[in-house]
Amino acid sequence: APELPATTLANYCYHNMFKGCTSLTQAPELPATTLADSCYNGMFQNCTGLTTAPELPATTLADHCYLFMFWGCTSLTTAPELKVTTLTSQCYRGMFLGCTSLTTAPELPATTLASYCYQSMLSGCTALTTAPALPATTLANYCYYSMFQGCTSLTTAPELPATTLTSYCYNSMFLGCTGLTKAPELPATTLADYCYYQMLSECTSLTTAPELPATTLAKNCYGYMFYYCTSLTTAPELPATTLASSCYSRMFEGCTNLTQAPDLPATTLADYCYSSMFSGCNSLIKLKTVPSQLPATTLADYCYSSMFSGCKNLARFPKLPATTLADYCYSSMFDGCIKLTTSLAPDLPATTLADYC
């Protein structure tokens, strides 16, 4: 590669410069300390022969500066140091996406994050076994979105100390990390829309779920969180009494070894709040493994739809005292529960019905 001596860059200056240069084995030195928007965007994308990344000395970043810089560099084994503590929008997004030979991630000391800053940064790094520390306590929208998605060799997750979350902050963060056996502690008490959505989905080696202390939820906050975590045996307590639309939707769907479901104390529901929550949880067997009752007396649209569908071994069912129904509220709630008999089915006291209830 040619020398690139510039120390002050311009917008998109090296954009896709060596993209697809599969014979490139050594990158040029990059001495620039003043970056610009998208300056290195896709610079070495799909350089499958590149084994070592160049040093990146800049201490101040620009929006999208390292976006997709080494995406698809499947021979890359060493990442550069990243010492910056204040990030910018999409600065590291997809930086090492699909770098399947990368075994060690760079340290990430940043404490001031920005929207999409780490999105998909290490996604698909299938050789990565340990995640870097993530010390930030103040988050940004989409900050860790899909950061480690598909890192199938990852066994340990970093600590996540933030107590106040932002929209989509942990969305899909560890999706498909099939080697992950332990989830990080999640101390947050202030949630945001889609904050934990799909966070640990398809983590098939995960046996224990972290505590979830929040009492006020947000839209789709726990949606698909443990979807098809087939080794999970126990669900965390869910103390929330203020729900939101789709807050628990499909949270434990496909958790075929889940033997204990939590109590659900909320009396005021939201649309789709428990939709498909335990769908396909075949190891739920009797009443003590599910809530003894679902105490709400006024329901919401689709609130219990498909909640226990496919729980073919479930032989006891929670009490359903609701007298005010809503559209589709009980739709397919016990679909496929083949051990349900008339004597075991809950009473349904409502005298005024709703469409498809």
Side-chain angles (χ1 to χ4, degrees):
E3 292 185 9
L4 300 172
T7 56
T8 299
L9 303 188
N11 295 342
Y12 291 87
C13 57
Y14 297 133
H15 179 229
N16 289 346
M17 187 173 185
F18 301 106
K19 181 179 179 180
C21 292
T22 55
S23 298
L24 186 69
T25 57
Q26 185 173 354
E29 293 184 8
L30 300 174
T33 53
T34 303
L35 307 188
D37 291 354
S38 292
C39 54
Y40 294 126
N41 186 340
M43 186 176 186
F44 299 104
Q45 185 176 332
N46 294 328
C47 290
T48 53
L50 190 67
T51 58
T52 304
E55 293 184 10
L56 300 171
T59 55
T60 302
L61 304 185
D63 290 349
H64 319 92
C65 55
Y66 298 128
L67 177 69
F68 300 129
M69 188 175 184
F70 301 103
W71 181 11
C73 292
T74 53
S75 298
L76 191 69
T77 57
T78 305
E81 290 188 25
L82 301 172
K83 299 179 180 180
V84 179
T85 56
T86 299
L87 304 188
T88 56
S89 178
Q90 301 191 53
C91 56
Y92 296 135
R93 181 184 176 189
M95 188 176 184
F96 302 104
L97 177 65
C99 291
T100 54
S101 297
L102 192 66
T103 57
T104 304
E107 292 184 11
L108 300 172
T111 52
T112 302
L113 306 188
S115 60
Y116 299 91
C117 56
Y118 291 125
Q119 185 189 352
S120 302
M121 183 183 185
L122 296 158
S123 181
C125 292
T126 53
L128 190 69
T129 57
T130 305
L134 300 171
T137 55
T138 302
L139 307 185
N141 293 342
Y142 296 85
C143 55
Y144 296 125
Y145 186 83
S146 297
M147 186 177 184
F148 301 103
Q149 181 175 342
C151 292
T152 53
S153 297
L154 192 69
T155 57
T156 305
E159 292 184 11
L160 300 172
T163 56
T164 299
L165 304 189
T166 55
S167 296
Y168 295 82
C169 57
Y170 297 133
N171 189 319
S172 304
M173 188 175 185
F174 301 103
L175 173 63
C177 291
T178 54
L180 192 67
T181 56
K182 185 179 180 181
E185 293 184 9
L186 300 172
T189 52
T190 303
L191 306 189
D193 292 352
Y194 292 85
C195 55
Y196 292 125
Y197 187 81
Q198 289 189 328
M199 183 183 185
L200 296 157
S201 182
E202 298 175 27
C203 290
T204 53
S205 298
L206 191 69
T207 57
T208 305
E211 292 183 10
L212 299 170
T215 56
T216 300
L217 305 188
K219 182 179 179 181
N220 242 316
C221 56
Y222 297 130
Y224 291 84
M225 188 175 184
F226 301 104
Y227 181 79
Y228 278 85
C229 289
T230 52
S231 298
L232 192 69
T233 58
T234 305
E237 291 185 12
L238 299 173
T241 53
T242 302
L243 306 189
S245 178
S246 299
C247 55
Y248 294 125
S249 178
R250 301 183 184 272
M251 186 177 186
F252 300 103
E253 181 173 353
C255 292
T256 52
N257 282 302
L258 189 69
T259 58
Q260 182 71 48
D263 287 332
L264 300 168
T267 55
T268 302
L269 306 188
D271 293 350
Y272 295 90
C273 56
Y274 298 125
S275 177
S276 300
M277 187 176 184
F278 300 106
S279 181
C281 292
N282 294 332
S283 295
L284 293 177
I285 300 172
K286 49 192 175 182
L287 187 58
K288 68 180 182 180
T289 70
V290 297
S292 59
Q293 71 166 344
L294 297 170
T297 55
T298 299
L299 304 188
D301 291 351
Y302 293 89
C303 58
Y304 297 134
S305 65
S306 301
M307 187 175 183
F308 297 102
S309 67
C311 294
K312 61 183 181 181
N313 292 311
L314 192 61
R316 292 288 189 276
F317 299 86
K319 294 179 180 178
L320 300 170
T323 52
T324 302
L325 306 188
D327 293 350
Y328 296 89
C329 57
Y330 293 127
S331 176
S332 301
M333 186 176 184
F334 300 112
D335 185 21
C337 295
I338 57 178
K339 293 191 177 180
L340 176 63
T341 65
T342 303
S343 62
L344 298 174
D347 292 331
L348 299 170
T351 56
T352 302
L353 306 185
D355 291 345
Y356 298 91
C357 58

